[in-house]
Amino acid sequence: MHSFLILGSAALAAGHGLLEKITVDGTTYPAFDTRVDHDFPGGVQRIMWGYSKSRVNGTAPVDNVNSPDIACRFNPLVSPALTAPARAGSNITFEWTEWFASHKGPVLTYMGFMPSENISVNQVEFFKIDQDTYDAKTDRRGTHNLIDNNNTRTVTIPSNIKPGTYVVRHEIIGLHFAWQEKTVQGQIGAQPYPNCVKVQVTGSGTDSPPGEKFPGAYGWRDPGLLVNVPPGPAVYKGEHNPPQGPVPVVANTGALSGERGEAYARFKEEKGQAIKHAVASDLKKGMKGLGGCFWEEGADPSTVKCSTINPDNPGPFIGYAQPKESPMYTETPGALMRGQKPPPKLYGNENNPRRRIMV
């Protein structure tokens, strides 16, 4: 079958911020590809909430924490046609398209109980089940570990939560521009890339962890979005006993086969060629990329890679948005940082006093 090779490497603006596939309790499902799935004739079925192509083919981050988009990405959302069954205590693995090493930050996963099928994701109360943030001993962030693990992160569904339908919200937050505090309330320099999947949890658990809604869980001046500590609530300390019963048998994962599968592969190839030509045009104009990425001059647009550091723009990697334990932390903004350090005050969501913290 044809492959869509260029999207994971060549297209900076079109290739990052996307899930490639999700494995739920042993079964692998294709993720919703906003660059392709909206337009494929006959449509596709996914376990993931699909989202709009309104921002850079839909692959951009959400820069307003007060927007409904902060839950599962850009509205209007497309509700999942499928639900992934999973035993409490089983694993979910999220595989991203190639993540750019320059987009450093935490990797976070939440779950939220859906009391009914017609509830909006913005009404769901999410509790955090996993986070991989900053390790001062190694000067590594969650994205370092994600990349080293073939762009994947595996989390465990708490074994003691009550059965039912859940929204699983998985997110990377790039902090390479976190120092760019915006003048409009709600807008942030940090780059959240949230994605949501629908999971039917089985088991005999009874726990209903308290949660927080999106928007609402993040404040526009929260630590973790302006300075670097994990945003959102603390991780729920649930039980992690082995799953009970047989692995679920799934009849339909949403993956296409036969003639439909070949047509889908050709369609992705066509989309990829269009993006390849756009990247080639940028390279001819001398554009080196955004977000600290660097495209080598004269590179083949079908294979060009995003390097870790853009030598022409080192500023985003130094500043008060870095962890204080990090060698990249400084309280003296440089010429490229476009701002001053905010004065000490209460950072956090004014509507959520439980989350306020003094820095």
Side-chain angles (χ1 to χ4, degrees):
M1 184 174 290
H2 298 287
S3 60
F4 200 27
L5 297 177
I6 68 165
L7 288 186
S9 56
L12 169 66
H16 76 311
L18 291 173
L19 287 175
E20 183 76 28
K21 61 185 71 169
I22 311 108
T23 300
V24 182
D25 199 356
T27 298
T28 299
Y29 305 81
F32 188 95
D33 190 334
T34 188
R35 303 160 300 184
V36 178
D37 290 357
H38 283 290
D39 303 323
F40 181 63
V44 295
Q45 293 182 311
R46 300 289 184 249
I47 64 167
M48 183 174 159
W49 270 263
Y51 46 86
S52 169
K53 298 187 294 184
S54 60
R55 294 276 307 281
V56 195
N57 279 335
T59 69
V62 178
D63 61 4
N64 189 330
V65 297
N66 293 336
S67 166
D69 297 343
I70 195 63
C72 300
R73 204 79 75 90
F74 305 117
N75 284 271
L77 295 175
V78 179
S79 296
L82 304 173
T83 303
R87 300 164 297 167
S90 64
N91 291 337
I92 304 177
T93 296
F94 299 92
E95 181 175 339
W96 293 76
T97 55
E98 183 180 6
W99 192 257
F100 298 141
S102 60
H103 290 36
K104 302 171 184 176
V107 182
L108 314 166
T109 305
Y110 299 78
M111 292 184 69
F113 183 76
M114 291 185 68
S116 66
E117 287 293 322
N118 57 2
I119 191 173
S120 163
V121 293
N122 300 119
Q123 297 174 292
V124 170
E125 295 188 354
F126 290 91
F127 55 96
K128 188 187 292 180
I129 64 168
D130 180 75
Q131 66 181 15
D132 191 6
T133 57
Y134 179 70
D135 185 342
K137 293 181 180 179
T138 60
D139 189 31
R140 290 171 62 87
R141 294 148 180 80
T143 49
H144 287 106
N145 298 324
L146 181 94
I147 293 169
D148 287 351
N149 198 33
N150 296 319
N151 300 298
T152 67
R153 178 70 178 176
T154 297
V155 305
T156 300
I157 299 172
S159 58
N160 60 320
I161 60 173
K162 69 178 182 180
T165 304
Y166 286 82
V167 185
V168 181
R169 180 184 183 273
H170 180 67
E171 165 185 59
I172 297 176
I173 301 179
L175 294 173
H176 47 300
F177 286 140
W179 45 267
Q180 289 186 339
E181 184 183 8
K182 304 298 179 66
T183 58
V184 179
Q185 281 204 5
Q187 292 188 356
I188 55 177
Q191 296 188 356
Y193 295 85
N195 299 275
C196 295
V197 299
K198 189 177 180 184
V199 177
Q200 182 72 31
V201 176
T202 60
S204 57
T206 58
D207 204 10
S208 299
E212 299 184 24
K213 297 179 180 180
F214 288 91
Y218 295 167
W220 76 298
R221 293 177 66 85
D222 268 0
L225 299 178
L226 184 60
V227 294
N228 194 335
V229 296
V235 174
Y236 165 63
K237 302 297 184 182
E239 297 177 5
H240 294 91
N241 298 316
Q244 301 299 309
V247 176
V249 176
V250 178
N252 182 13
T253 66
L256 300 174
S257 60
E259 292 184 1
R260 287 274 291 164
E262 293 178 0
Y264 184 78
R266 288 194 299 270
F267 190 70
K268 292 189 78 170
E269 188 78 19
E270 293 168 3
K271 290 281 188 177
Q273 290 297 325
I275 294 173
K276 175 179 175 179
H277 293 318
V279 174
S281 176
D282 286 349
L283 289 170
K284 288 181 180 179
K285 296 175 184 176
M287 296 175 63
K288 293 185 174 67
L290 302 174
C293 293
F294 181 73
W295 294 343
E296 182 181 359
E297 293 184 12
D300 181 345
S302 65
T303 60
V304 65
K305 297 282 186 177
C306 168
S307 67
T308 302
I309 297 293
N310 180 343
D312 296 333
N313 187 18
F317 302 97
I318 301 174
Y320 55 77
Q322 303 298 332
K324 288 190 176 181
E325 308 95 321
S326 167
M328 293 187 293
Y329 177 83
T330 177
E331 294 190 5
T332 305
L336 294 175
M337 291 182 64
R338 307 177 193 172
Q340 301 297 316
K341 180 183 179 184
K345 62 171 291 183
L346 284 172
Y347 291 97
N349 188 340
E350 294 82 0
N351 298 322
N352 192 346
R354 294 178 298 159
R355 299 270 317 291
R356 293 183 177 179
I357 184 170
M358 181 71 75
V359 297

